[in-house]
Amino acid sequence: MRPTSATFSYPTKEEKNQSARFRTYVNYFAALSQYLESTYASPGELVSRITENTTFEKIQGGKCANPSLLKKLLWNSWFTELQLHISAPPNELIPYNNHWAPVQLYYTLYLAIRAYFISSGQNVSNKHASTLTTINNEIHNRSYLFPDPWRIQCSGDFQKRSITYSNLPANIQIQSISSLSQSENVEFHDSFCMFLRTTRKRQIKNKIVQWKSDNNRKRIKSTERLQLTNNVSPTSIFDAIYRLRIRSNYQDADSILLTLDLPNIAKQYNYGLRSVSWYSLLALETIIAKYLGRKYYEQIVKEFICYDLGKVSENLVQKRWGIIENEFKKVSA
């Protein structure tokens, strides 16, 4: 598998770094998928946590001004999800598909978030920065609408040691861990908050680099840094997934190549991405269905399923809708 030419020597320092970076992401998503599947072993429990709060009950429908666009967004989200899932085991090509899988995960959720905006009557720019800022502010302002762990956010500035976490479960104290610690050896919220914290660190660094370039400056004053960081919305899981999408899209092809002969690690990573996708869509679609109304949302689902001749969506959008519909019936009973 490794290059055999005498000009190659493995592992080089860079290859070690790339391998460690990939394993870090494997650990993050393994921890996430394990937590979701244990906390919501019955997926209906996730839906009920959303539906059984006053924020959800107060949602008023009839705000969607562009039903055709909303349908297009949902269908594109679901079709992207299908593409992510067709790489599932026992497909021996999973290690190769992993280069693009984070991109598919991000766009699956990005499109669903756009549908959420349309369904709730919000006119938000389709730029990634605007989309992420708006959904982060939604979580911040309507946290009870989003269950754990989607409601957890990270704020503050790592350099000033002012990092804080909002909406953590009661009695959770975040501890420092190694990013290379396997998921079964760490507490979930320690891993998840590290994912958010390192994402925020990267966000702030990128903002500062851009600020220096825009202002033709080599340094930034403390007051200017404070103002800049205060303008960064609270960091959420969606920012972390966007970070992964950027790295996979533009920077980390090497780390994927270095794992082509590690099929078990590759499958674990791919499974984590798919699990996070499924549960995240279940949460978002529950809220969207409330805004649209059960009958109209069901119509969109059924029309999509009709075109899925391979029946891949049976365990995806169709299964989620069955869970959502069942919980809706309980609430209205």
Side-chain angles (χ1 to χ4, degrees):
M1 179 65 200
R2 302 297 180 193
T4 57
S5 169
T7 60
F8 287 94
S9 177
Y10 180 83
T12 66
K13 181 179 180 180
E14 176 58 24
E15 286 172 325
K16 286 182 179 179
N17 291 338
Q18 289 282 4
S19 179
R21 188 175 297 124
F22 180 75
R23 287 178 181 272
T24 295
Y25 287 121
V26 172
N27 292 335
Y28 285 147
F29 279 91
L32 261 169
S33 62
Q34 290 164 13
Y35 181 77
L36 291 172
E37 291 173 11
S38 61
T39 304
Y40 306 111
S42 171
E45 172 64 19
L46 171 56
V47 178
S48 66
R49 289 198 188 185
I50 299 172
T51 59
E52 293 175 0
N53 68 77
T54 55
T55 305
F56 183 85
E57 292 172 0
K58 292 179 180 178
I59 288 178
Q60 298 293 322
K63 296 182 178 181
C64 179
N66 195 336
S68 61
L69 175 58
L70 184 139
K71 176 180 174 180
K72 179 180 178 181
L73 288 166
L74 285 174
W75 279 27
N76 275 304
S77 171
W78 296 335
F79 195 73
T80 307
E81 182 192 24
L82 297 187
Q83 294 172 58
L84 174 61
H85 279 260
I86 59 175
S87 65
N91 192 336
E92 66 277 8
L93 298 180
I94 285 178
Y96 296 90
N97 292 336
N98 278 345
H99 182 215
W100 207 247
V103 183
Q104 293 168 327
L105 167 62
Y106 171 74
Y107 276 102
T108 294
L109 299 184
Y110 165 83
L111 291 161
I113 291 169
R114 299 296 313 168
Y116 167 83
F117 294 153
I118 297 294
S119 71
S120 58
Q122 299 183 64
N123 184 16
V124 180
S125 167
N126 60 9
K127 292 182 178 180
H128 297 291
S130 300
T131 297
L132 292 169
T133 296
T134 305
I135 192 62
N136 290 343
N137 289 334
E138 282 282 294
I139 296 171
H140 178 74
N141 295 325
R142 309 175 75 192
S143 61
Y144 288 105
L145 195 55
F146 299 87
D148 181 39
W150 296 273
R151 68 197 308 260
I152 300 172
Q153 294 181 304
C154 177
S155 302
D157 184 356
F158 64 95
Q159 189 179 83
K160 302 299 182 181
R161 298 184 178 181
S162 61
I163 290 293
T164 59
Y165 305 101
S166 55
N167 304 318
L168 283 169
N171 302 319
I172 293 292
Q173 298 293 324
I174 300 304
Q175 306 294 325
S176 296
I177 61 169
S178 167
S179 62
L180 295 178
S181 298
Q182 294 185 348
S183 57
E184 59 267 22
N185 297 327
V186 299
E187 293 294 329
F188 164 71
H189 288 95
D190 292 340
S191 171
F192 185 68
C193 287
M194 185 176 187
F195 197 10
L196 297 185
R197 181 172 66 251
T198 54
T199 298
R200 187 166 185 84
K201 181 177 181 179
R202 190 175 301 276
Q203 287 176 307
I204 292 174
K205 282 188 173 181
N206 290 341
K207 290 283 187 181
I208 290 173
V209 168
Q210 186 62 52
W211 184 93
K212 289 178 179 178
S213 175
D214 293 342
N215 292 276
N216 195 25
R217 297 261 294 276
K218 294 184 177 181
R219 297 177 62 86
I220 183 170
K221 296 179 180 178
S222 296
T223 54
E224 294 165 334
R225 181 188 177 99
L226 178 62
Q227 182 178 2
L228 185 148
T229 55
N230 285 343
N231 288 333
V232 178
S233 64
T235 301
S236 75
I237 185 175
F238 300 115
D239 294 294
I241 291 171
Y242 178 71
R243 161 193 170 188
L244 180 62
R245 171 248 160 169
I246 292 296
R247 295 207 66 86
S248 187
N249 228 168
Y250 301 112
Q251 299 169 342
D252 280 351
D254 290 354
S255 65
I256 302 296
L257 285 170
L258 292 171
T259 61
L260 291 182
D261 61 351
L262 300 172
N264 290 334
I265 296 294
K267 287 181 180 179
Q268 184 182 31
Y269 179 61
N270 190 275
Y271 180 83
L273 298 180
R274 289 184 283 114
S275 178
V276 170
S277 168
W278 194 89
Y279 280 94
S280 297
L281 286 174
L282 180 60
L284 289 167
E285 290 167 6
T286 299
I287 306 170
I288 293 170
K290 172 68 171 178
Y291 274 112
L292 292 185
R294 191 168 73 189
K295 289 185 178 180
Y296 182 55
Y297 186 83
E298 181 179 38
Q299 178 183 338
I300 296 175
V301 171
K302 286 185 174 180
E303 288 178 3
F304 179 82
I305 292 171
C306 286
Y307 289 100
D308 178 21
L309 301 181
K311 306 302 180 183
V312 179
S313 60
E314 285 185 353
N315 287 320
L316 303 175
V317 58
Q318 185 174 352
K319 181 178 179 179
R320 289 195 301 271
W321 168 239
I323 295 167
I324 295 169
E325 183 181 33
N326 185 56
E327 293 300 321
F328 277 18
K329 289 178 179 178
K330 289 181 183 178
V331 172
S332 60

